[in-house]
Structure formats: C-alpha cells, structure tokens
C-alpha cells in the first residue's frame, strides 16, 4: 500500500537530488511500500539458505548479537577470520585458533559456515608473502646450514646433522618420487603420535649475530595429508625458539620460518614427532635476511605458486567435512573488464595487506586456486565472487567470459557470487540484467555480500528517516524478487546480507550510512520486513 502523497514524494525527489549524484530510477522513488510479515529470515524459505556475515568479537562476546544471528541465519560468512591475513603468521605457518573458535560457536548455534575467501588481492599477510618475493637488498645470501640438501651421508647417517630421540626413523632416501631436488632427501617415519621432540634432527651450529633476523626455508611432504611438524632453534649461548606448527600434504610445499638470533651460535632442529606419518624433507636453507635475494624467473613463479597452494590446501583440508562451500577466487576482474593486477588497481600508500597473485601467475592464478581447492575437498562447492556486476555490464560480461575460460581449462566452478554492495537507487534494470546473464551460465548463483547504501556521497547532514527507510526496503525487496524471478530454483544457492546492525557495518563510518537490516539497538528495520515478506511470497 502506498504511504505518501505524490506532492510529498516530488518534494523529496528534489531533496534526494541534492544528496546523491548517482543515476536515479524513478521506480525507486515512487514505489515506497509498507512491508509486514511474521516469522524469521531463516524460516522464510526452504529453497536456499539465508545468511548473515558475522564479526568474531561480537559473535563470541555479545549475547544479543549472537541471538539475533541464531534466530535469523541459516548460514554465515566470517567477515575476516578465514582470510589469508587472519590465518597466516609472518613465518608462513597457519593459525586456525580464532577461526576454529568462531566455527565451533556457529556449529553450537546450528548455523552453517560458508568459507570466505581463499584467493584475493586484499586482506593478505603480505609481510609473509613479500619474504618470498622481495627478499633483502644486501649481498648474495649464503646458506648457513651445512648439508641442507641431505646429499652428504648414507643410510641413517647425515654429515653435519645429529639425531635425537628418533633412532633409525630418520634415514636417507634416493627414491626419485621422495626427493625434491638433487639425488637424496631426508625420510622420517613417525610410528605414533607424540610430543614434537620425540623425533628430532639437528643441524650443526652456525655463527649468528644477536638481534639479527634469519630466514629459513625447506621443502616437505608426507605420505598422507594432515601431518604436522615444527622448527625450533638452540645452540651455544642461545635460548630455544619455536615456530608454529606446519601442516603437510602429499605434495612438496616450501615452508618459511623467520627467527631473530639471541645467541652467538645457533642450530635449527626439525621437530617432527607430533603426528604418525611418513615424511620427506629436502633443501633446508638458512640465510641472513639482510642478505637474502629474491628468486627470479621460474623459481619466483614456483615460490608464489607454492604459497598459494599451501594456503588453500591447508585451509580447505582443515575444514573438510565442516565447510561445504568456498569463495575460492574473489574479485578477479577490474572495473574495465580486464584481469585484476597491481597495474590496474588503486592501492593506498598506507595499505600493507595487498598481494596480487596474478602478477606472478598470470591469468591462470584462478585456475590454480580452483584446482588446489578441488583437490583438497572434492565434495565442496566452489565459487568465484565479484562486485558491481549489477551496475557495470562490461565487468559482468568479462567475469562470465573468465568463468567460461577457466571451466574450459578444467576448473571446477560450482557457482558465481554477486556481492551486491548497492545504492538505494541502483537501477532495477541492471539488477534484472545481471541475474538473467548469470543464470544463463547454468551455474549456481548466490547473493554473497548484500547491503544497501543510503548515503553514498557521505553527506554529513543525512538522516535515515522513515521515508528513506522505505526506499531502502524497496531496494532490498526488489533484489530478492529479481533473484527469485530470474534465477531458476535449481540454481539458487543463497542470499547473505553483509552484517547485522547498521553501526557494525563496514559502511557505517561513524553514522554516515545505514546499510543493513537492523538498527543499532537490534530492532528490525523496514528492510528486514521487506526481505522477509518477499522471501515468503515465493
């Protein structure tokens, strides 16, 4: 039912023209409806999950926030804590502690978790990634570990290495499939789970400078995925230091550990007694970080490829059987429709979390990401995800073309996510066009990060009054209706709203915008009822 007179609406149209320079769609202005419906979002439809993005601290520590999510969400996406920057430490190890805590809390609440995100150019631990590609600017690095390739020695004896607690479980292997490079490698057979130090291999001591940073790299794989080990340091005049735990897969992966010397002599120890498995290790290198030189050519490509593979493989394997769907590749296309690179993306001078896989791996970086994810969990649904598809037809067509290209090369792609960070007056025609074109791919389609900005020009005098709330509600309702109308039921895989309350949105900016379904006090806005009513209409 219409709530306002035409005269009042026309006056507001003039006001709106002062608040936004964006293109207007008259339908958005004149169709301000009242929405009423009973029930919750999670029970409004059985066709697909309705989800909400959540914040780690709020979900774990705010009972009201958590109860709202539990009441309305069938699924959730972590806003940050499954991204590279959240999981990867500066030494390259992966710490799932916070992600696991959040996952466990969701499981307790009966909420599914959608994995987000495995391959992106932002929210990366670029500090770690740049140790792979950037190195230092000093002289050529010298490996401080003698016989780090395990080429010297025979049987269960290695020159320049000592064995502790492991007995004859540490032996030389020359089997081609068990060697990363050269003719020999270290083979470790761990027969039972135990303490990390139950099986140890220690290098000879080497001279170090107190306070100086050293970078250690090594290659490792295991007979069965899911192995575990760590690195520790010691030596004359030095106190022990420990890396985080490294997980292993059945493929060779290069690991990195950085440490600051605290004594004049240091040795590195391979602590590998935690998990029963058969391990293969090769090419241990320790260099003065200031003397490190970055790899070049094919070695550089391999190093970056290994970093991508290691992150995706470990993360997907860790959540195999728990997380059933992933955003594998996020925002791969620029606004001009080209593959996103560092050359066509604006990066703030103060940003420290950007890293472009495409710079090193080219167009096939996304293909590799999908291949690694599919290998780690063949049953998982795998998505590609991007934004502005409803407002940029060039980008939309380019993304669809890129998906076809990747699938033609063998990528397993289950579906496409459209983020839909839209404006209250985004043209409806673009929304319809997007859903029709996405549906024509035959893939599953999901709305992955929905919010509706009300004050895109950040006018400080903006107030979200009842009139603007109704416009926002209309936009939410139209998006849901267009999705239900233009995407066949079999291809509908979900709608996720990107947050809970307005004041916790990434767009809030101290009260400049109000893009979500709930007010600051957790009361439901008109937009909430618009989504609920529209979902129940089908």
């Amino acid at each position: 039912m219409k709530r306002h007179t035409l005269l009042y609406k026309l006056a507001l149209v003039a006001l709106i023209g002062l608040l936004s320079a964006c293109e207007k769609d008259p339908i958005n202005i004149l169709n301000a409806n009242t929405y009423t419906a009973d029930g919750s979002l999670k029970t409004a439809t059985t066709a697909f999950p309705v989800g909400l993005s959540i914040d780690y601290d709020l979900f774990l520590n705010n009972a009201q926030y958590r109860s709202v999510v539990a009441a309305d969400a069938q699924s959730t996406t972590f806003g940050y804590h499954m991204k590279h920057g959240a999981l990867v430490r500066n030494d390259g190890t992966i710490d799932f502690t916070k992600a696991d805590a959040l996952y466990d809390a969701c499981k307790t609440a009966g909420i599914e978790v959608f994995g987000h995100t495995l391959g992106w150019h932002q929210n990366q631990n670029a500090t770690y990634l740049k140790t792979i590609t950037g190195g230092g600017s000093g002289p050529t690095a010298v490996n401080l570990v003698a016989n780090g390739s395990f080429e010297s020695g025979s049987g269960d004896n290695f020159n320049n290495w000592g064995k502790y607690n492991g007995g004859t479980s540490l032996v030389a292997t020359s089997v081609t499939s068990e060697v990363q490079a050269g003719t020999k490698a270290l083979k470790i057979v761990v027969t039972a789970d135990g303490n990390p130090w139950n099986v140890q291999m220690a290098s000879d001591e080497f001279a170090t400078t107190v306070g100086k940073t050293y970078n250690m790299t090594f290659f490792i794989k295991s007979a069965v995925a899911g192995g575990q080990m760590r690195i520790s340091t010691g030596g004359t005049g030095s106190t022990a230091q420990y890396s985080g735990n490294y997980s292993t897969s059945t493929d060779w992966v290069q690991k990195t550990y950085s440490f600051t010397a605290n004594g004049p002599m240091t040795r590195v120890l391979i602590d590998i007694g935690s998990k029963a498995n058969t391990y293969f290790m090769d090419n241990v290198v320790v260099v003065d970080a200031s003397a490190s030189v970055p790899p070049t050519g094919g070695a550089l490509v391999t190093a970056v490829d290994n970093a991508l593979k290691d992150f995706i493989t470990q993360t997907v394997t860790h959540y195999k059987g728990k997380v059933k769907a992933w955003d594998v590749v996020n925002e791969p296309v620029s606004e001009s429709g080209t593959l996103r690179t560092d050359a066509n993306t604006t990066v703030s001078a103060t940003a420290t979390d950007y890293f472009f896989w495409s710079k090193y791996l080219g167009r096939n970086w996304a293909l590799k990401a999908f291949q690694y994810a599919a290998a780690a969990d063949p049953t998982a649904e795998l998505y590609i995800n991007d934004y502005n598809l409803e407002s940029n037809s060039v980008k939309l067509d380019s993304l669809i073309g890129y998906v076809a290209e990747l699938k033609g090369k063998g990528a397993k792609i289950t579906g496409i996510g459209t983020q839909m960070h839209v404006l209250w007056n985004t043209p409806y025609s673009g929304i319809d066009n997007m859903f029709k074109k996405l549906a024509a791919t035959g893939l599953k389609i999901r709305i992955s990060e929905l919010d509706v900005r009300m004050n895109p020009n950040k006018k400080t005098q903006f107030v979200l009054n009842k009139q603007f709330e109704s416009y926002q509600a209309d936009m939410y309702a139209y998006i849901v209706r267009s999705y239900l109308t233009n995407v066949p039921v079999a291809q509908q895989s979900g709608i996720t709203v990107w947050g809970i309350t307005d004041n916790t949105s990434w767009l809030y900016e101290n009260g400049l915008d109000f893009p979500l379904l709930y007010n600051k006090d957790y009361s439901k806005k008109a937009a909430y009822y618009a989504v609920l009513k529209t979902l129940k209409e089908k």
Side-chain angles (χ1 to χ4, degrees), residues 212-485:
K212 179 169 282 190
T213 299
Y214 296 84
N215 292 333
M216 176 180 179
T217 59
F218 58 93
F219 284 87
I220 191 167
K221 70 174 183 174
S222 55
V224 179
Q228 183 173 288
M229 56 83 66
R230 74 179 186 191
I231 298 297
S232 60
T233 66
T236 303
S238 298
T239 56
Q241 299 182 72
Y242 303 92
S243 74
N245 289 325
Y246 296 89
S247 296
T248 62
S249 70
T250 56
D251 296 311
W252 285 109
V253 176
Q254 187 180 45
K255 309 289 187 178
T256 301
Y257 173 51
S258 296
F259 63 92
T260 301
N262 56 27
M265 299 296 292
T266 302
R267 63 163 48 94
V268 293
L269 298 96
I270 301 162
D271 300 338
I272 203 162
S274 297
K275 295 287 185 182
N277 211 323
T278 297
Y279 300 87
F280 307 94
M281 194 165 183
D282 208 353
N283 292 305
V284 178
V285 176
V286 175
V287 296
D288 177 347
S290 66
S292 298
V293 292
T296 59
L300 176 59
V301 172
T302 298
V304 174
D305 190 7
N306 284 334
L308 178 66
K309 182 177 184 179
D310 190 34
F311 174 66
I312 293 176
T313 300
Q314 286 199 56
T315 303
V316 176
T317 299
H318 185 80
Y319 290 105
K320 186 176 181 178
K322 298 178 180 179
V323 174
K324 300 176 183 178
W326 291 91
D327 280 332
V328 177
V329 172
N330 197 47
E331 301 176 6
V333 178
S334 72
E335 296 307 288
S336 65
T338 58
L339 180 72
R340 184 180 296 280
T341 67
D342 58 331
N344 59 25
T345 302
T346 301
V347 179
S348 167
T350 60
T352 60
D353 63 346
Y354 280 71
F355 184 86
F356 294 84
W357 302 102
S358 59
K359 179 177 181 179
Y360 306 94
L361 304 179
R363 294 188 68 82
N364 281 342
W365 86 266
L367 173 64
K368 290 174 177 288
F370 277 107
Q371 289 172 333
Y372 300 149
D377 186 355
T379 66
E381 293 192 350
L382 308 179
Y383 287 77
I384 193 168
N385 189 49
D386 220 321
Y387 66 97
N388 281 355
L389 305 182
E390 69 286 333
S391 58
N392 185 338
S393 60
V394 172
K395 185 174 185 177
L396 171 64
D397 292 342
S398 295
L399 179 67
I400 291 172
Y402 192 43
V403 169
E405 174 187 331
L406 294 172
K407 286 180 66 64
K409 294 177 179 178
K412 174 193 171 183
I413 302 178
T414 307
I416 301 173
T418 172
Q419 293 182 15
M420 298 206 74
H421 299 295
V422 302
L423 312 182
W424 67 271
N425 56 354
T426 294
Y428 290 162
S429 57
I431 295 169
D432 292 337
N433 176 64
M434 174 193 67
F435 282 131
K436 289 174 182 177
K437 285 190 173 183
L438 292 178
T441 66
L443 299 174
K444 290 189 175 183
I445 307 300
R446 65 187 300 266
I447 301 174
S448 57
E449 304 180 18
L450 177 61
D451 47 34
V452 178
R453 282 176 284 178
M454 299 306 298
N455 184 26
N457 289 339
K458 299 180 182 180
K459 300 291 185 179
T460 56
Q461 72 271 29
F462 179 80
V463 175
L464 184 67
N465 57 29
K466 294 297 182 181
Q467 180 69 20
F468 275 94
E469 273 204 62
S470 70
Y471 296 157
Q472 183 180 56
D474 282 349
M475 178 55 73
Y476 269 106
Y478 194 89
I479 289 169
V480 175
R481 187 174 297 112
S482 181
Y483 179 71
L484 296 174
T485 301

Side-chain angles (χ1 to χ4, degrees), residues 73-311:
Q74 294 166 279
S75 71
T76 187
T77 305
F78 299 173
Y80 178 65
H81 280 84
M82 276 188 175
K83 294 175 180 175
H84 190 279
L87 296 178
V88 179
R89 305 280 73 83
N90 287 348
D91 64 2
T93 58
I94 298 181
D95 184 355
F96 292 106
T97 304
K98 287 189 173 182
D100 283 350
L102 193 52
Y103 174 85
D104 290 343
C106 289
K107 182 178 179 181
T108 299
I111 305 170
E112 295 181 357
V113 174
F114 188 97
H116 177 82
T117 180
L118 299 174
W120 194 24
H121 62 281
Q122 293 186 57
N123 284 178
Q124 313 261 38
N125 185 331
T127 299
Y128 163 65
L129 293 171
K130 287 174 182 177
T131 67
I132 296 173
T133 62
S137 57
T140 301
V142 175
N143 187 6
L144 300 176
V145 173
N147 194 26
S149 61
F150 304 107
E151 296 291 311
S152 179
S154 62
D156 60 355
N157 292 307
F158 297 87
N159 295 342
N160 310 106
W161 290 89
K163 295 183 295 185
Y164 300 95
N165 310 321
T168 57
S169 62
L170 300 107
V171 299
T173 176
S174 57
V175 177
T176 301
S177 63
E178 298 175 349
V179 175
Q180 193 272 330
T183 61
K184 293 181 183 178
L186 172 64
K187 181 177 181 179
I188 311 109
V189 179
V190 180
T191 57
D193 292 358
N195 293 311
W197 59 85
N198 283 359
V199 181
Q200 286 185 309
M201 190 80 162
S203 74
D204 283 350
E205 290 187 342
F206 47 87
T208 49
T209 301
V210 175
K212 179 169 282 190
T213 299
Y214 296 84
N215 292 333
M216 176 180 179
T217 59
F218 58 93
F219 284 87
I220 191 167
K221 70 174 183 174
S222 55
V224 179
Q228 183 173 288
M229 56 83 66
R230 74 179 186 191
I231 298 297
S232 60
T233 66
T236 303
S238 298
T239 56
Q241 299 182 72
Y242 303 92
S243 74
N245 289 325
Y246 296 89
S247 296
T248 62
S249 70
T250 56
D251 296 311
W252 285 109
V253 176
Q254 187 180 45
K255 309 289 187 178
T256 301
Y257 173 51
S258 296
F259 63 92
T260 301
N262 56 27
M265 299 296 292
T266 302
R267 63 163 48 94
V268 293
L269 298 96
I270 301 162
D271 300 338
I272 203 162
S274 297
K275 295 287 185 182
N277 211 323
T278 297
Y279 300 87
F280 307 94
M281 194 165 183
D282 208 353
N283 292 305
V284 178
V285 176
V286 175
V287 296
D288 177 347
S290 66
S292 298
V293 292
T296 59
L300 176 59
V301 172
T302 298
V304 174
D305 190 7
N306 284 334
L308 178 66
K309 182 177 184 179
D310 190 34
F311 174 66

